Amino acid sequence: GGGLPNSSNSSGKNVTPPWTATSLEDGRATWSYELAEDAEDVTLQVVNSVGTVVWEGPAPDKSSGIHSFTWDGQLKGGDKLEV
């Protein structure tokens, strides 16, 4: 399985998710991430088991606190991850 990387870009600051590995269930995977303070720009990445970024995009919530992110298996190239 893949996961969010150990850090993401948040206006020059690092964001560390509480855990990094998960698996797709019913075509979706969900992670939590925490921001220490509000941020203007937060990019999340999903990486596979060998560290290749398979998806990246804006975080759904950029305010301080713990938030959830659900990935639908859509890959950077437009394909859907097959499980």
Side-chain angles (χ1 to χ4, degrees), residues 5-17 33-44 62 64:
N6 288 334
S7 64
S8 299
N9 189 339
S10 166
S11 297
K13 298 176 177 62
N14 285 331
V15 178
T16 303
Y33 64 97
E34 182 174 11
L35 298 174
E37 58 189 44
D38 292 353
E40 289 183 27
D41 183 42
V42 180
T43 299
L44 300 178
K62 298 172 183 80
S64 64

Side-chain angles (χ1 to χ4, degrees), residues 23-30 70-74 80-83:
S23 60
L24 282 173
E25 291 185 26
D26 297 324
R28 297 173 170 250
T30 300
T70 299
W71 178 57
D72 64 2
Q74 189 79 29
K80 190 93 163 172
L81 185 65
E82 298 294 327
V83 289

Side-chain angles (χ1 to χ4, degrees), residues 33-82:
Y33 64 97
E34 182 174 11
L35 298 174
E37 58 189 44
D38 292 353
E40 289 183 27
D41 183 42
V42 180
T43 299
L44 300 178
Q45 295 180 328
V46 176
V47 298
N48 64 17
S49 59
V50 296
T52 302
V53 176
V54 297
W55 178 91
E56 68 180 0
D61 194 326
K62 298 172 183 80
S63 62
S64 64
I66 298 174
H67 309 286
S68 292
F69 164 69
T70 299
W71 178 57
D72 64 2
Q74 189 79 29
L75 301 172
K76 287 191 331 181
D79 293 332
K80 190 93 163 172
L81 185 65
E82 298 294 327

